[in-house]
Amino acid sequence: MIRALRLVATPILALVLALALPGCQFGARRQLDECRRLSQTLRSQNDQLKDQMLAYRNQNQDFSERAVDDARRLSQQDEAIERLERSVQAYQGERDELQTAFSELRDSLPATIRAASSPSGTRVQAARDPDDAPKPREFKVPSRARAETDVDEPEDRRTGWAPAAGEPASDPGPTRAAP
């Protein structure tokens, strides 16, 4: 019986194994194909990530070079700004010195000239201060008749600037001295 059982069980076992083996092989092939596709996808994603990492590394190097260049440019601009500020301050100091010197010069002038050079830039008529007015000087005006004689006659004396008696006056107004 054991022997008969063995004889019957062996072909059944062979049949079951024959049916089961190709089914396992089909399932394993599917999983193997799926694993191959997954590994290919992962390799392509890994390559893409490597390319992206290289691009980011290059971009990072560009940014760091730009930052160094920008820092250098900013330091040069800061130096230029400081030079310009010193130049403007020197100019303002010189302008203040010149303004002070002009004010001192203007204050040292007589009132009539001081009024003409007022800081507002307009011509202002100031009241004449008799102490500041220039004193008229007497000038001898040479004439042809006088050149021949060396005698001073009081009628030929003139004060201020005036044309000689023999010369025509260009402006017959009040600036002409009366003979």
Side-chain angles (χ1 to χ4, degrees), residues 78-119:
D78 286 342
E79 291 171 4
I81 288 171
E82 288 175 7
R83 282 193 312 265
L84 289 173
E85 285 176 350
R86 285 192 302 265
S87 173
V88 167
Q89 289 172 352
Y91 169 75
Q92 288 174 344
E94 184 180 353
R95 183 199 62 196
D96 292 341
E97 289 174 10
L98 289 174
Q99 187 176 11
T100 304
F102 177 74
S103 296
E104 289 173 0
L105 178 65
R106 188 185 64 228
D107 292 343
S108 69
L109 295 175
T112 55
I113 297 174
R114 198 174 328 142
S117 64
S118 67

Side-chain angles (χ1 to χ4, degrees), residues 135-152:
K135 305 292 185 223
R137 291 186 278 174
E138 292 187 17
F139 294 98
K140 294 182 184 178
V141 180
S143 67
R144 292 184 189 146
R146 232 178 119 179
E148 295 173 2
T149 62
D150 290 75
V151 179
D152 285 336

Side-chain angles (χ1 to χ4, degrees), residues 65-79:
E65 289 173 4
R66 283 185 192 175
V68 169
D69 291 342
D70 288 345
R72 187 179 319 119
R73 222 175 291 124
L74 284 174
S75 68
Q76 289 173 350
Q77 286 178 348
D78 286 342
E79 291 171 4

